[in-house]
Amino acid sequence: MSADPLHRAGAPQRSTKSQPPSGSGASAIEVRRSDRRRRTVSAYRDGDRTIVLIPARMSAAEEERWVSVMLDKLAAQESRRVLGDDELAERAGRLSEQYFQGRARPASVRWVTNQNTRWGSCTPSEGSIRLSHRLQGMPEYVVDYVLLHELAHLLVPGHGPRFWRLLDGYPRTERARGYLEGVVAADRLPHAPGARDV
């Protein structure tokens, strides 16, 4: 029986498997094409795999685009679960191991509610990292980027070339920075008259 909850017996399906883009959080992606599926695309996690369901008629370029879109949607849904400070510290440790050979060792990593103009901050002399609560609910790759940025400050205090070289290893740096820039830009847009603040 198929793991696809929407699959009906007898519906023709073709399946392809691939490795996920870096930072997607899953170890494998399986794309299932169906002749019955006309316009909708959906995705779900099945253990350490991500299953993406698409119409059979989609081109390879459309498939690639939709896989990326669905991975981002799944990541956003998963990141809505708020990590506690202990989980945040564990995540920082894993990122340090993966990208900095474990050299960045924070003494503390925690969420704070008093940072409204910064996404994160680091005090290298104390080894403390603080992330703004405004990051909660953002995609995992964005939170990971901010964590890596602050971890890098434990190794290089300023923002010189050596600092940015440390972040070159994270493949979603530019995407995460673009996401955060978009959030800042959206906050600056004027609200329509009479619109309620959410």
Side-chain angles (χ1 to χ4, degrees):
M1 179 153 186
S2 169
D4 172 8
L6 303 176
H7 176 72
R8 295 183 186 143
Q13 268 190 336
R14 291 183 303 283
S15 180
T16 58
K17 294 182 181 177
S18 63
Q19 291 304 309
S22 298
S24 68
S27 62
I29 299 166
E30 182 176 334
V31 177
R32 295 183 184 168
R33 292 176 169 267
S34 171
D35 290 326
R36 287 188 180 206
R37 192 173 280 268
R38 294 285 177 232
R39 289 187 295 260
T40 60
V41 176
S42 62
Y44 63 94
R45 303 276 194 218
D46 183 16
D48 65 349
R49 294 180 308 147
T50 301
I51 312 298
V52 181
L53 309 163
I54 64 172
R57 63 173 175 72
M58 272 193 184
S59 69
E62 288 174 312
E63 174 182 321
E64 185 177 335
R65 183 177 75 83
W66 276 106
V67 166
S68 178
V69 166
M70 298 313 288
L71 288 174
D72 284 349
K73 283 187 175 189
L74 284 173
Q77 288 169 358
E78 290 163 356
S79 69
R80 286 190 189 109
R81 183 183 74 82
V82 176
L83 298 174
D85 288 347
D86 289 342
E87 292 169 304
L88 200 59
E90 287 173 23
R91 192 167 181 165
R94 285 193 304 270
L95 289 167
S96 177
E97 286 295 328
Q98 184 174 358
Y99 294 99
F100 303 142
Q101 296 79 43
R103 292 179 296 133
R105 294 188 180 104
S108 68
V109 182
R110 62 191 174 91
W111 295 108
V112 293
T113 57
N114 64 350
Q115 287 189 141
N116 293 314
T117 59
R118 302 165 138 202
W119 297 114
S121 62
C122 174
T123 307
S125 61
E126 298 173 3
S128 62
I129 291 174
R130 295 159 304 281
L131 295 191
S132 172
H133 71 286
R134 296 178 304 139
L135 288 164
Q136 294 173 341
M138 289 189 188
E140 287 181 5
Y141 72 91
V142 175
V143 176
D144 285 352
Y145 165 73
V146 176
L147 272 173
L148 281 166
H149 185 106
E150 302 310 331
L151 285 165
H153 280 308
L154 293 175
L155 304 173
V156 179
H159 286 107
R162 191 168 154 241
F163 172 85
W164 292 111
R165 276 195 301 274
L166 285 172
L167 293 177
D168 283 346
Y170 184 57
R172 301 187 94 178
T173 291
E174 290 307 313
R175 189 170 193 176
R177 290 181 72 184
Y179 185 101
L180 293 170
E181 287 169 8
V183 170
V184 170
D187 284 347
R188 291 183 182 148
L189 291 174
H191 294 286
R196 278 189 9 220
D197 285 331
V198 189

